[in-house]
Amino acid sequence: MPDVITLGETMVLFAPLEPGPLRYARHFEMRFGGAESNFAVGIVRLGFSAGWISRLGDDEFGRYIFAQLRGEGVDVSRVKFDPEAPTGLFFKELGRPGGTRVYYYRRHSAASRLSPEDLDAEYFAGARWLHLTGITPALSESCRAAVEAALGLARRFGLTVSFDPNLRLKLWPLATARRVLLPLLQQADVVLGGHEELCLLLEKAAPEAAAEALLAAGVKVVAVKLGAEGALVITADSRERVSAFPVAEVVDPVGAGDAFDAGFVAGQLLGRTLAESARLGNACGALMVSVRGDYEALPTLAEAEEFMAGRLPPAR
C-alpha cells in the first residue's frame, strides 16, 4: 500500500512547439497533466510511494496517461477505465502577455464520474497521508462526494490530510467555491494554498489573516505559497517566513504549486521541521518552473538537496 494517496483528474495536454496564439499553431507535442498526479510523481521522486485514484476514458488517451504514470512509479491499481466517458483534454498557449494560458475540454469526462464507490477502504488503511485539492470537488457532485468519503476514510484510519484549494474559477463561481471548499479545508490537518486564493476564499485582505481564520477553524498548519517571495508557515504557536530560491528565468509556471506541495509533504514524512519542509517545497517549485512541462522537472530528493546546497543550478 502507498505512503501517500491522492485522487483527481489527469488530462492529456497538447502543447504547441512554438509560442503564439493557438489559432496559428500547427505542431503540438502530447503530454499529460493534473494537479494530483503531478503531486504523486513528485512524492515518488522524493523517495516515497504514492497512489493515484481516478477514472480515465477507455480510450487511447486514457491508456497513455495510465502507462506514463505507472512508468513514473505511481501506483495506479485503483484507477478505473470508463467505457462511457472520454479522457479530458487541455491545451496550453505559450508566449501570451501575462504568461501561459490554458484551455480545458473536460466537461463530462471520465474523471468527472469519480464517486465514493471508487474508493477502497483497505487501500486507505495502509497509508500515512491523504492529499486533496479543490479541483476535484469542482468537477461534479459525485466527485465532491468522493472527496468527502476520502476525508472520512482518512479520519477512520488516522491519515494526515493536506488540502490545496487550487481555486479554479473557470470551473465554478467564487460563491460556490467558498460554500463547498471552506468546510472541506476545515477538515484538513495541513492547508497548502497560494496567497491570492486563500484571501479570496476566506474574504481576507492579507494571507496571514486568512491563515489565522483557518487555524481558528481547526486546521493545524497553514503554508501560504508566496511565489517569488517564498512561503509563510503558520501554526497556532509559530509563524515563519521561508525564503524562495532565485530562478534566472521562469520557463513554465504550471505545476510549481504541485511541486511545492510534494516537497512539503515529503519533508514532513521525512520528519523535518515545518520550515525545512517549506524550504524543500520551495526548492521543488524553483526547479519545476525552469523547464517546460507540468511534471517533468520534479526533482529527486538528491537533486533537491544539491540545489538547496547551491551545487545544482536550475536547468536553462
Side-chain angles (χ1 to χ4, degrees), residues 108-125:
H108 306 306
S109 67
S112 72
R113 294 154 63 97
L114 188 70
S115 74
E117 288 69 39
D118 295 316
L119 307 185
D120 177 356
E122 181 182 352
Y123 197 62
F124 280 73

Side-chain angles (χ1 to χ4, degrees), residues 226-250:
L226 302 172
E229 301 301 316
L232 180 64
V233 184
I234 301 177
T235 70
D237 303 314
S238 66
R239 179 177 303 194
E240 290 193 75
R241 186 177 289 269
V242 182
S243 298
F245 293 90
V247 176
E249 180 185 3
V250 176

Side-chain angles (χ1 to χ4, degrees), residues 2 23 33-34 44 52 57 63 77 105 111 118 124 127 158 169 180 190 211 215 247 257 277 286:
R23 63 182 176 271
V44 170
W52 174 67
R63 284 184 275 276
S77 63
Y105 298 86
D118 295 316
F124 280 73
L169 296 180
V180 174
V190 180
L215 293 172
V247 176
S277 297

Side-chain angles (χ1 to χ4, degrees), residues 15-28 92:
L17 297 180
E18 300 293 337
L22 274 180
R23 63 182 176 271
Y24 298 120
R26 297 294 181 269
H27 302 284
F28 294 82
K92 276 187 184 179

Side-chain angles (χ1 to χ4, degrees), residues 166-200:
N166 241 319
L167 184 62
R168 296 290 187 269
L169 296 180
K170 288 184 178 181
L171 293 176
W172 52 4
L174 181 57
T176 304
R178 284 183 179 135
R179 176 175 56 80
V180 174
L181 288 183
L182 290 179
L184 297 175
L185 288 170
Q186 292 167 9
Q187 298 180 61
D189 300 293
V190 180
V191 170
L192 306 164
H195 60 102
E196 292 181 355
E197 64 185 353
L198 289 178
C199 288
L200 278 174

Side-chain angles (χ1 to χ4, degrees), residues 128-129 190 221 263-275 277:
R128 300 167 61 187
W129 197 289
V190 180
V221 179
F264 188 93
V265 171
Q268 289 294 281
L269 292 171
L270 287 165
R272 298 186 180 182
T273 67
L274 294 173
S277 297

Side-chain angles (χ1 to χ4, degrees), residues 26 58 62 66 79 87 92 96 124 132 144 153 160 184 190 203 211-212 239 261 269 295 301 303 307:
R26 297 294 181 269
D58 189 12
F66 185 88
V79 173
T87 303
K92 276 187 184 179
R96 280 287 211 172
F124 280 73
L132 300 167
R144 194 173 306 171
L153 288 169
T160 301
L184 297 175
V190 180
E203 300 182 78
E212 295 289 351
R239 179 177 303 194
D261 293 354
L269 292 171
Y295 74 94
L301 183 60
E303 289 168 342
F307 176 67

